[in-house]
Amino acid sequence: MIDVENHLYLAGEMVEVKSAAEIAATLDGEGRLDGMPFMPEMLAFCGRKLKVSRRADKTCVEGFYGMRKLGGAVLLEEARCDGAAHGGCQRNCMMFWKEEWLRPPVSGEAIIVADLKAETSARRTLANLPTRFGDRYACQSTTLGEITQPQSKWDVGHLVTDLRRGELAPIDFVLMVGRTLVNRLRGLAGLADLGALIGQGDGKSKAALDLRPGEWVRIRSADEITATLDADGRNLGLSFEPEMTRYVGGTYQVDFPVRSIILEETGEMAKLNRTVALKGLACQGICAKNCPRANTLYWREAWLERVEEAGALERSA
């Protein structure tokens, strides 16, 4: 029999998300548990059985924070925020689930809510949790800086833990440790991280492809992309992340246009144009110390070119 109170949920395990009433009972007056907000978008998953994607004992935090310690939470597969309660934000974040909001599923048994009146009341309360204060939004993403703890840039112990838990392959462990050390030294020397593309222009190149979901595109060459970037590796403020270089030259399908995202550092809603997400392309943590968040990668249309479906299918086969 599983000790629910002390059970550590690991990648690949199935869990059951508790009922709204059970989760509401764990929250403080601000709708948080240990500082982590329960968001209205999470209600849709209450009572469902889902697979653990990764433990969230650490997470990257945008801005000057870098990698931070978290703990007591996991990320679940197929449980991304749709932004419905946050102004239609399209960051498409994986949501953090405190372990107190989960339990091991009972095989073959239907999920029964004991008190429908209490459940209805709890759902109403959770659906109306505050998500905006003035012109700034509040969500799990915007609170990460305050609820996480510092982690040394030289610490690789968390990678050993990932390796032991099967969340990191041995070869990737070796490469990631090496990359971490090299990038630290490069940083001290004033050099960019490995794989980073640095431009020489003003980073204001535009391309209006008006891409739609389902269309096929080829990611342009590194030289072509570099020509659109400024000295900080950005195009109109959006950075071309080092991990994105591994997809250069590949052919992929457009998932959705990205028009608005909440900035993690400030809570402000940023408007984007000529930017899309591509199916299956999310950060794998290779350039971010095996961060588990799997953030969606954003692609400027200036970094892409449209290809015909027949040719795209042939290339991707």
Side-chain angles (χ1 to χ4, degrees):
M1 186 174 181
I2 296 175
D3 180 359
V4 177
E5 294 296 325
N6 300 303
H7 184 64
L8 199 68
Y9 296 109
L10 300 176
E13 283 191 57
M14 294 298 297
V15 297
E16 177 187 313
V17 181
K18 292 181 179 180
S19 68
E22 290 174 297
I23 291 174
T26 70
L27 306 179
D28 62 20
E30 296 181 336
R32 301 185 180 201
L33 174 59
D34 297 333
M36 180 68 74
F38 184 88
M39 304 188 299
E41 291 91 344
M42 303 172 81
L43 266 175
F45 300 96
C46 286
R48 290 182 55 183
K49 297 177 181 179
L50 299 168
K51 184 181 291 186
V52 175
S53 171
R54 291 280 305 277
R55 285 200 59 77
D57 293 330
K58 61 182 177 182
T59 179
C60 58
V61 183
E62 293 181 8
F64 61 86
Y65 291 106
M67 187 63 70
R68 305 269 289 180
K69 297 177 182 178
L70 180 57
V74 299
L75 301 162
L76 302 179
E77 292 184 8
E78 301 179 12
R80 288 184 179 268
C81 179
D82 65 6
H86 289 83
C89 173
Q90 295 176 292
R91 281 183 67 99
N92 200 37
C93 295
M94 294 192 78
M95 296 180 284
F96 294 91
W97 297 86
K98 296 294 291 183
E99 291 180 291
E100 292 87 342
W101 301 339
L102 309 171
R103 62 171 151 249
V106 179
S107 178
E109 290 192 11
I111 299 170
I112 301 174
V113 176
D115 188 334
L116 288 177
K117 185 176 180 180
E119 181 69 5
T120 300
S121 176
R123 283 183 170 272
R124 186 180 304 112
T125 298
L126 297 181
N128 288 289
L129 288 173
T131 59
R132 186 171 180 173
F133 300 92
D135 61 350
R136 302 192 179 223
Y137 289 88
C139 64
Q140 290 185 340
S141 175
T142 64
T143 61
L144 286 177
E146 65 183 82
I147 67 174
T148 53
Q149 296 77 46
Q151 181 166 279
S152 170
K153 293 181 178 180
W154 295 96
D155 179 17
V156 296
H158 59 95
L159 295 179
V160 176
T161 299
D162 292 343
L163 178 65
R164 179 168 49 82
R165 289 176 177 165
E167 294 187 356
L168 187 63
I171 183 61
D172 291 331
F173 170 79
V174 173
L175 293 175
M176 205 164 289
V177 170
R179 186 185 193 92
T180 298
L181 296 176
V182 170
N183 280 340
R184 292 276 69 80
L185 295 174
R186 288 175 66 89
L188 293 174
L191 300 174
D193 284 355
L194 291 172
L197 299 185
I198 303 299
Q200 302 297 324
D202 58 11
K204 295 183 179 180
S205 301
K206 300 177 182 179
L209 301 180
D210 192 27
L211 293 170
R212 305 297 176 88
E215 289 193 89
W216 289 88
V217 296
R218 184 184 71 85
I219 299 174
R220 293 183 180 275
S221 69
D223 287 343
E224 291 174 299
I225 293 171
T226 298
T228 73
L229 305 176
D230 62 18
D232 294 319
R234 297 173 180 269
N235 174 267
L236 297 172
L238 182 66
S239 60
F240 188 88
E241 299 295 332
E243 186 165 327
M244 297 168 76
T245 58
R246 66 196 298 235
Y247 302 114
V248 164
T251 302
Y252 301 94
Q253 199 169 20
V254 175
D255 196 357
F256 58 89
V258 181
R259 295 292 176 259
S260 57
I261 59 172
I262 293 173
L263 300 179
E264 188 161 290
E265 301 165 71
T266 65
E268 298 171 295
M269 184 70 80
K271 299 298 181 182
L272 289 82
N273 293 305
R274 299 175 291 277
T275 305
V276 298
L278 301 179
K279 286 186 178 181
L281 297 196
C283 178
Q284 301 299 308
I286 293 172
C287 301
K289 300 180 181 178
N290 205 35
C291 171
R293 290 181 72 179
N295 285 336
T296 297
L297 299 173
Y298 309 128
W299 301 85
R300 289 292 195 200
E301 292 187 348
W303 303 335
L304 310 170
E305 61 180 345
R306 184 184 274 108
V307 296
E308 295 299 324
E309 182 175 355
L313 292 173
E314 183 177 326
R315 292 187 186 93
S316 61

